[in-house]
Amino acid sequence: MISTLLSRLQRGPDGAPAPRLAFGADYNPEQWPREVWEEDVRLMREAGVNIVSVAIFSWARIQPGPGTWDFAWLDEVMDLLHENGIGVDLATATASPPPWLTTAHPEILPVTDRGETVWPGARQHWRPTSPVFREHALRLVRELATRYAGHPALVAWHVNNELGCHNVYDYSDDAARAFREWLRARYTTLDALNHAWGTAFWSQRYSDWEQILPPRLAASHPNPTQQLDFKRFSSDALKDHLRAEREILRELTPGVPVTTNFMVMPGTKGMNYADWADEVDFVANDHYVVPRPQDRDELSFSANLTSGIAGGRPWFLMEHSTSAVNWQPVNLAKRPGELARDSLLHVAHGADAVCFFQWRQSAAGAEKYHSAMVPHAGADSDLFRAVTALGGTLRALAPVAGAEREPAEVGILFDWESWWASEQDSHPTSLLDYHQEALDWYSALLALGIRADVVTTRSDLSRHRVLIAPVLHLVPAELAKDLTRYAEQGGHLVTTYFSGVVDENDHVWLGGYPGALRDLLGIRVEEFGPLPAGQTVELDDATTGGLWTDRITTTAPETEVLARYRTGVHAGRPAVTRRPTGGGSAAYVSTRLGVDGLTSLLPRLLAPAGVRSELPAEVRGLVEATVRRGPGGRFLFLVNRTDDPVTVPGTTGEVLVGSTGADGAVALGPRDVAVLRLPNS
Ligand code: GLA
Ligand code: GLA
């Protein structure tokens, strides 16, 4: 639990008692001479830092050769941090194998689908399934855990780093062997595998397990179920590595919570974090803003989904950036206010820790132009002053620590299996973007000032009056039953184009789309109508669709048509439908409406459920509101989504962050955040 970690943090230099929010960064002292360390801890105290992640990329320093160990420097770092009241999230240091290891054992290096070796020179050049790598990594973990078991600075373990960031897909012979084992466990018999993979197609029938390979470069589209299973397997292989390290840590340091940093972001779909969540003692996430339309909505979505993965419990923001990163085509500095706003937006969605990559900006190496808490310019900088101010803000928010998110009436279902399956090749369109569609619905709800929880199939879906499941493409029979029960028991389900199309084997549900949800939705589609890039269709409710259309026939007398196509080949036919069920309903949106179209449609989808904005009308869309509830009270976060000042009238409560006018209105400057403890809570 994150509460275990927070309670292990010492009182800060300010004497503020635990529980408190954690604040800190990755700290890489091995990149700096000893005298800099003294300045580091002094500045950490000045900024209010109470936790740092250490030794993430220190393998070569800790173990300079197969049989040699150098802990002296790390002992000193741990002691120094402890003396200064700073807790350590200690990494297991396995993320970047040292040159001596890859030279002695090149067989640990990953292989691409084209058979190319991924050479050392960067980081994470290891096969998740390599027994040789595993042996060396676990030996290191054992040494570290034994040495620091009783160290007072140790507050948590940080397994590896961003598992799968660069090595999620490995097509080596080790991977092939492990894939076969995974498939045997899943299918037991070759007949079952042949059925699931549909190997009657293109003469792919296997007569021996040894014939099975990862989906390496092939002459044409590799078998879709083979691809889907390889994605599942690859996520599981990394999860297995996480478990292997964690078991040693639990054995040697029981009571010290173990985590690893997830990357809940659009570009990192390989790891099914909903499925990993139970493997860690608390969920930790890394997030970086990629400048583009909806960028802060995406930040909010990521934080919200991380909370969903964590079951609504508080989680740990392990990394984000104080300003620019180094890995985009153009790396933009954050504008004034964005450092604090971005951090607090994570806190608004349940983060009990705000940490950055990294403490001190590197002078050398591939990340020397990546921002940090202490920039190249040094502590006499606007950036460090903003960092220190944020430390103060987080101290003021100490009562929030431990608060869970208060469930919203609307849920958005985000499902890795559908993400993977809907974007495979040889589909009706290659333009479909699962994450973007989900984000569009989220942005539309933000525009309407309506709170929503992003949840996974492991969440209790019945908590939400409205459940939006965009592109829920892969629907096993059990999920179809759950969703039907949900709607029949009063829930309002909303789904979209290309949903309910395949089962867990990626086999089409026959008899007309959206097969698994056809009866529930009271519609039938005989043929898909994807649109060429840039082509749109008009609907009769004045919205515009893109990407996709369906030729819909309503099949139940009670199915209502909420909007029809006005142009295109389906002109006059239904585009948006809703079937009332016993107390609830099931709606279908057959085209991609985008944020504006969804903002205009949503009120009609939400009305039967009685869902409305909780915000005063004049600030809807301008302000994002979240609520956290815990031992310290009930907290309202108000985030200004705009670059203009916004005044939120009619709010009462104790102001923890921000300011209120004489009339009790909360005044938010551009990109500002206010936090209030609500009365009677
Ligand atoms: C990831 C890694 C860090 C660093 C940052 C840079 O989050 O975990 O080591 O590379 O990216 O943005
Ligand atoms: C070719 C092949 C067929 C089939 C079609 C699909 O014609 O011979 O087997 O793959 O392409 O368009």
Side-chain angles (χ1 to χ4, degrees), residues 57 123 161-162 261 286 288 319 325 327 357 367 370:
F57 297 106
R123 61 177 175 185
N161 188 63
E162 290 191 341
N261 40 352
D286 293 355
Y288 291 91
E319 289 181 25
V325 299
W327 42 263
F357 175 84
E367 295 184 317
H370 193 296

Side-chain angles (χ1 to χ4, degrees), residues 143-486:
E143 291 285 336
L144 272 162
T146 305
R147 185 158 193 103
Y148 296 106
H151 200 287
L154 178 67
V155 297
W157 285 109
H158 180 113
V159 168
N160 200 275
N161 188 63
E162 290 191 341
L163 285 161
C165 182
H166 312 298
N167 63 348
V168 57
Y169 296 122
D170 163 46
Y171 299 80
S172 66
D173 289 344
D174 278 330
R177 194 178 330 106
F179 188 35
R180 285 177 207 126
E181 279 167 28
W182 185 93
L183 291 166
R184 273 180 191 263
R186 183 175 175 91
Y187 295 111
T188 314
T189 67
L190 264 186
D191 278 350
L193 177 135
N194 277 309
H195 167 75
W197 284 22
T199 56
F201 181 83
W202 280 355
S203 183
Q204 292 174 352
R205 187 171 182 83
Y206 295 98
S207 55
D208 191 299
W209 291 98
E210 292 304 306
Q211 297 159 359
I212 300 172
L213 294 168
R216 292 175 178 162
L217 177 67
S220 177
H221 307 290
N223 181 304
T225 316
Q226 177 191 16
Q227 291 192 59
L228 182 59
D229 273 346
F230 189 66
K231 292 187 174 94
R232 292 168 171 148
F233 154 78
S234 298
S235 179
D236 280 359
L238 289 163
K239 185 174 73 172
D240 192 62
H241 183 86
L242 163 61
R243 279 183 181 158
E245 289 200 15
R246 185 202 61 202
E247 284 316 296
I248 291 174
L249 299 169
R250 285 202 177 149
E251 174 201 327
L252 297 174
T253 58
V256 179
V258 180
T259 195
T260 189
N261 40 352
F262 295 173
M263 296 168 281
V264 178
M265 282 181 270
T268 48
K269 73 172 180 176
M271 287 65 69
N272 184 345
Y273 294 126
D275 175 56
W276 289 23
D278 292 344
E279 307 295 341
V280 290
D281 293 322
F282 60 89
V283 167
N285 195 44
D286 293 355
H287 183 270
Y288 291 91
V289 174
V290 178
R292 58 171 194 177
Q294 293 169 265
D295 55 7
R296 264 60 190 198
D297 292 358
E298 190 279 312
L299 188 166
S300 173
F301 183 90
S302 166
N304 195 323
L305 173 54
T306 304
S307 175
I309 289 166
R313 286 180 288 279
W315 51 277
F316 196 109
L317 178 65
M318 190 66 85
E319 289 181 25
H320 69 315
S321 67
T322 57
S323 193
V325 299
N326 66 306
W327 42 263
Q328 289 166 19
V330 177
N331 296 295
L332 303 185
K334 288 195 181 183
R335 295 177 299 162
E338 287 182 331
L339 163 65
R341 189 269 314 273
D342 292 355
S343 296
L344 296 177
L345 196 42
H346 287 289
V347 178
H349 284 286
D352 265 4
V354 170
C355 293
F356 295 95
F357 175 84
Q358 60 178 327
W359 166 250
R360 185 182 282 278
Q361 187 170 11
S362 303
E367 295 184 317
K368 61 182 175 294
Y369 297 121
H370 193 296
S371 61
M373 292 174 91
V374 182
H376 286 156
D380 180 13
S381 57
D382 287 345
L383 184 51
F384 187 68
R385 282 183 280 276
V387 160
T388 305
L390 176 62
T393 303
L394 294 174
R395 271 200 295 281
L397 288 177
V400 173
E404 308 211 335
R405 79 165 164 192
E406 191 163 283
E409 291 181 320
V410 179
I412 295 181
L413 182 59
F414 190 89
D415 180 43
W416 265 261
E417 292 263 308
S418 278
W419 193 3
W420 291 339
S422 66
E423 293 183 359
Q424 296 219 92
D425 57 6
S426 64
H427 273 197
T429 178
S430 58
L431 304 177
L432 186 147
D433 184 335
Y434 177 85
H435 189 283
Q436 185 64 49
E437 181 66 35
L439 179 58
D440 283 356
W441 284 87
Y442 190 72
S443 285
L445 287 160
L446 285 175
L448 293 166
I450 292 170
R451 282 198 298 130
D453 292 343
V454 187
V455 295
T456 73
T457 49
R458 298 180 162 233
S459 315
D460 174 7
L461 302 179
S462 68
R463 292 180 104 162
H464 306 287
R465 297 171 69 84
V466 175
L467 181 66
I468 300 170
V471 194
L472 192 66
H473 181 62
L474 186 152
V475 180
E478 204 50 42
L479 179 56
K481 262 192 232 146
D482 288 349
L483 294 175
T484 303
R485 200 176 313 118
Y486 168 77

Side-chain angles (χ1 to χ4, degrees), residues 527-677:
E527 193 168 23
F528 301 127
L531 297 175
Q535 191 169 310
T536 56
V537 287
E538 302 300 321
L539 274 60
D540 65 3
D541 63 356
T543 59
T544 302
L547 183 80
W548 195 279
T549 61
D550 279 320
R551 186 174 187 277
I552 297 177
T553 305
T554 59
T555 54
E558 66 275 18
T559 306
E560 305 158 9
V561 177
L562 300 186
R564 291 179 184 275
Y565 290 107
R566 202 172 58 71
T567 62
V569 291
H570 303 323
R573 301 190 69 93
V576 181
T577 63
R578 178 174 54 212
R579 183 181 154 249
T581 56
S585 66
Y588 185 75
V589 182
S590 65
T591 183
R592 175 160 187 240
L593 291 176
V595 180
D596 291 346
L598 294 175
T599 307
S600 131
L601 174 67
L602 261 166
R604 287 201 288 155
L605 296 175
L606 301 175
V611 173
R612 274 181 301 271
S613 174
E614 300 157 300
L615 286 169
E618 57 267 50
V619 301
R620 287 178 198 159
L622 308 180
V623 168
E624 174 177 357
T626 71
V627 183
R628 293 183 64 178
R629 184 173 49 190
R634 201 165 156 251
F635 304 92
L636 173 67
F637 287 74
L638 296 167
V639 183
N640 184 352
R641 301 175 69 221
T642 76
D643 292 338
D644 300 310
V646 176
T647 303
V648 187
T651 25
T652 48
E654 176 200 350
V655 178
L656 300 181
V657 173
S659 59
T660 47
D663 54 355
V666 173
L668 293 167
R671 306 184 280 277
D672 252 7
V673 180
V675 187
L676 287 85
R677 189 181 349 222

